[in-house]
Amino acid sequence: MSILVKVLRTVARLALTLFVLGQLVFLVSSNFLGVEKPLRTELKNFVWGDPPPEDVDTVWTGFKRSVQQSVKDSPAPEYFEGTGPIHETYYDKTTTYTKHWSQLTGQPQNWSLFAPYIVEVVPFPAVELRWDDQDWPDWAERPLPANPRPAPLVILSDNEPTDRRAFAHYQGFRFRKYEGNLTPYASAEDGRFDPETSAWRKKIRDRVDDEPVCMHNYLRWRLKVYAEANPGLPRPTQVILLVRTFKIPKPPGPPPWNATGLALGPARVADAPKPPGPEAWYWYDLGEDRVARWLPGAPLDTKDYEPVERYDPVAHHFERVGK
């Protein structure tokens, strides 16, 4: 009996040692991955970016000039471009493993207080209800049309502000966190965003592949709440997850009032008259884009496919997501 106890103690100590070492590797790697991109970008800009102004002469600018002079004939390595074997072979796998371990053990590491990221693009999910067979897939039987057929409608998120001049929430954090897991983030320059790109298609693909069940549950819940509030409405044929994206102007920002001094009422800011020129007080509206779709009347093949389809913004159609 004493030998068995010694063996169990040895195994327990070994398991604890491996756990502590693995936890140390997890904390270091996950936190490094969180700051790797901004650090890499800053280092690239320092070495291969624009030289400092000629009228500024400090120890730091002198050091920067000497570094840039030493590599002036050498292009930036592919690592600093976010490509190459390091990113393609190790980065994505390590990110996946650390994410799964953080979810399993309840240790999310993707938080930050003030840095390195400052929010510039704000996405809000929305749900579109349709009663037609537009863009209907070949794998599902076409639904019977509703009579009369309601016009398509969009249900906005409760977190999306009606007046974007004053936006603050202090309740419903868990709900906002859940919605944040459903919405991909758009990249925009000067308030412009083109969704018909492979980069945006990849963002939609990655988000739907990561959260198909969460999206399905969210769409079911939004439909259930709306149906209970509108009992006479027929069941929709399509429930589509949208993302409505806005970009916040960079500091110090434009004036908080429009050029005409118009006092806005309860109407949505997006519908209000917009002042001419770049001195606009409103957020940049980057548009409303499709992400995923659930067909309530279509049979779910849960063995081979996920419960929602994902949208391809380049080909302009929905596609099934295999397991």
Side-chain angles (χ1 to χ4, degrees):
M1 187 68 179
S2 59
I3 297 178
L4 178 61
V5 172
K6 291 180 179 179
V7 171
L8 292 177
R9 286 179 177 175
T10 302
V11 172
R13 290 170 181 169
L14 179 61
L16 179 60
T17 302
L18 293 176
F19 174 78
V20 172
L21 293 176
Q23 185 71 8
L24 179 62
V25 172
F26 160 72
L27 292 174
V28 173
S29 59
S30 61
N31 283 277
F32 171 74
L33 290 173
V35 298
E36 186 270 344
K37 182 177 180 180
L39 289 177
R40 168 167 48 86
T41 302
E42 289 299 323
L43 183 57
K44 176 188 174 184
N45 292 336
F46 177 81
V47 179
W48 290 277
D50 296 330
E54 296 182 358
D55 57 347
V56 178
D57 189 10
T58 64
V59 175
W60 180 251
T61 57
F63 173 66
K64 183 175 182 179
R65 289 191 186 96
S66 62
V67 172
Q68 292 182 339
Q69 183 67 23
S70 64
V71 298
K72 65 176 183 178
D73 297 327
S74 302
E78 55 185 7
Y79 167 77
F80 290 96
E81 303 293 342
T83 59
I86 294 180
H87 281 85
E88 296 172 357
T89 305
Y90 302 108
Y91 188 87
D92 291 341
K93 290 183 179 179
T94 305
T95 302
T96 301
Y97 294 151
T98 55
K99 176 183 177 182
H100 289 170
W101 179 252
S102 69
Q103 292 175 337
L104 178 64
T105 58
Q107 304 178 84
Q109 301 295 313
N110 58 340
W111 63 273
S112 59
L113 186 58
F114 300 112
Y117 298 106
I118 303 298
V119 172
E120 295 182 358
V121 176
V122 184
F124 297 100
V127 176
E128 180 183 8
L129 303 182
R130 302 189 66 92
W131 285 266
D132 55 26
D133 57 357
Q134 183 184 77
D135 303 323
W136 199 258
D138 296 335
W139 58 268
E141 184 178 352
R142 289 190 177 273
L144 295 176
N147 188 18
R149 178 184 297 178
L153 61 90
V154 175
I155 308 172
L156 301 183
S157 168
D158 294 337
N159 287 311
E160 182 174 336
T162 55
D163 186 345
R164 293 191 288 275
R165 296 171 300 173
F167 177 36
H169 285 304
Y170 59 91
Q171 292 180 335
F173 170 78
R174 293 176 64 86
F175 180 63
R176 289 197 300 276
K177 184 66 176 177
Y178 191 96
E179 287 192 337
N181 291 333
L182 309 179
T183 49
Y185 282 75
S187 300
E189 295 293 337
D190 300 326
R192 298 180 179 88
F193 168 63
D194 181 11
E196 298 184 16
T197 62
S198 58
W200 179 241
R201 176 171 58 186
K202 184 178 186 304
K203 287 187 177 183
I204 293 179
R205 179 184 295 270
D206 292 344
R207 187 54 59 96
V208 177
D209 289 351
D210 288 343
E211 306 290 354
V213 177
C214 291
M215 291 181 177
H216 182 223
N217 292 337
Y218 182 78
L219 295 175
R220 290 174 56 201
W221 171 71
R222 295 305 301 264
L223 174 59
K224 178 177 181 295
V225 172
Y226 190 83
E228 291 176 351
N230 300 271
L233 209 61
R235 188 185 190 190
T237 56
Q238 304 184 54
V239 184
I240 302 173
L241 176 64
L242 309 173
V243 57
R244 293 163 52 86
T245 310
F246 304 91
K247 182 177 176 63
I248 302 174
K250 293 184 178 181
W257 301 97
N258 63 8
T260 61
L262 175 67
L264 297 180
R268 297 192 59 84
V269 174
D271 301 329
K274 296 180 174 61
E279 296 297 319
W281 51 264
Y282 51 90
W283 295 358
Y284 295 120
D285 188 345
L286 304 185
E288 184 179 88
D289 300 284
R290 294 179 168 186
V291 177
R293 178 175 67 173
W294 168 49
L295 305 178
L300 291 178
D301 185 359
T302 57
K303 179 180 178 181
D304 297 324
Y305 296 97
E306 299 292 355
V308 296
E309 300 174 296
R310 64 178 170 234
Y311 188 68
D312 186 333
V314 177
H316 301 284
H317 66 72
F318 288 95
E319 57 187 12
R320 301 189 81 177
V321 182
K323 290 188 174 180

